[in-house]
Amino acid sequence: MEGQLASLAWAWDHGRVFQTAGLFIAGMLIGRQGWFRRENLHNWGRVLAVAICCFFPLYGLNNMVGKFITNPNILTPLGILLSSLANLSFMLMLVGGIIYGYYTTTRLHRMLDRLRPYGRMSMTNYVTQGIIGSAIYYHWGLHLQMGITGSILIGIAIFLVQYAACCLWLRHHTRGPLEYLWRCATWIEFPFVKRQRNLR
C-alpha cells in the first residue's frame, strides 16, 4: 500500500497525471483526423523525422544539465521538463516506426493484426492486469516474492490468458465489458440530445 501511494505521489509530482490525460486526448483527436490510415502515412514520416531530431538532443541535455546547474529549485523542474519532452519524442518515434512498419512490412502487418483482439479490449486488459498483479504480489493476495525471470514468465502467462479471453469474448460481443461501460458513460447524454433535436 505504501509503495502504491508513493508511486501515485511521484506521478502527481512529475506531472504524469496531466501528461497521461493529454496523451489520451491527443490520441483521440489524431484518430478522428484519420492519421492512422494508409493515406496519411506521409504525416507520420514528418512526425518521425521531427521526433528523431528532438529526442537525441533532449536526452543528452537531460543527462548533462546536472553538471552545470546545482540549484535544486532550477534543476528539478528543468529535469522534469527535459525528460518529459524526451519521452514524448521517443514515444512518437515508436508510434511512427510501428505505423510505417505496419503498412510497409507484410510480416509485421500480419503479426500486429493478430493482436487486434487484445487491443480492442485494452482498457479491460489494463484494469485486469492490475487486479491480477496485485493479487499475485501484494500481501492481501499470494504475496509472492519473484525475481526478474519469474516475473517475466508470469507476465507472459497473464498476457496469453488475457489474449485467449479477448478472442473468446469478441466472438460474441463487439467490444470489451469495460469498453462498453466507458462508451455508455461518455455518450450518456447523446440519446437525450438527439430526442431534443427531433422535437424541434
Side-chain angles (χ1 to χ4, degrees):
M1 185 63 181
E2 293 179 357
Q4 185 64 37
L5 291 175
S7 177
L8 292 174
W10 180 90
W12 177 267
D13 188 54
H14 286 72
R16 293 297 174 87
V17 175
F18 299 103
Q19 290 175 19
T20 303
L23 289 174
F24 269 107
I25 295 172
M28 178 190 68
L29 295 176
I30 290 172
R32 288 186 175 182
Q33 293 297 321
W35 273 47
F36 296 112
R37 298 173 184 169
R38 181 186 290 272
E39 55 266 26
N40 290 316
L41 190 60
H42 61 281
N43 292 328
W44 287 106
R46 299 170 185 169
V47 171
L48 188 59
V50 172
I52 291 174
C53 292
C54 291
F55 170 73
F56 292 102
L58 287 169
Y59 183 80
L61 187 60
N62 185 42
N63 290 331
M64 294 170 54
V65 70
K67 298 179 181 179
F68 303 98
I69 300 176
T70 57
N71 188 343
N73 295 325
I74 299 176
L75 183 61
T76 299
L78 183 60
I80 294 173
L81 177 63
L82 292 174
S83 63
S84 298
L85 292 175
N87 290 337
L88 177 63
S89 300
F90 186 68
M91 181 270 294
L92 292 174
M93 288 171 54
L94 290 177
V95 173
I98 290 173
I99 291 176
Y100 252 97
Y102 179 79
Y103 285 117
T104 59
T105 307
T106 303
R107 182 175 298 179
L108 182 61
H109 185 97
R110 292 176 179 175
M111 183 183 71
L112 292 178
D113 275 345
R114 293 178 181 177
L115 295 176
R116 281 188 178 186
Y118 197 85
R120 288 174 61 186
M121 293 178 57
S122 56
M123 184 177 183
T124 299
N125 290 327
Y126 181 79
V127 173
T128 54
Q129 276 181 10
I131 295 173
I132 296 172
S134 61
I136 293 175
Y137 294 108
Y138 275 51
H139 64 278
W140 63 268
L142 300 176
H143 198 216
L144 293 181
Q145 303 293 326
M146 303 291 294
I148 296 176
T149 303
S151 297
I152 292 175
L153 293 176
I154 289 176
I156 293 173
I158 292 174
F159 167 78
L160 293 176
V161 171
Q162 286 185 319
Y163 180 78
C166 291
C167 294
L168 182 62
W169 179 272
L170 292 175
R171 289 180 184 175
H172 308 284
H173 304 84
T174 57
R175 57 183 57 89
L178 294 185
E179 286 76 11
Y180 174 77
L181 293 176
W182 184 254
R183 181 180 176 87
C184 291
T186 52
W187 289 89
I188 191 168
E189 293 183 355
F190 179 74
F192 174 76
V193 174
K194 185 176 181 180
R195 185 165 56 250
Q196 290 295 323
R197 289 177 178 174
N198 292 335
L199 290 176
R200 294 178 183 176

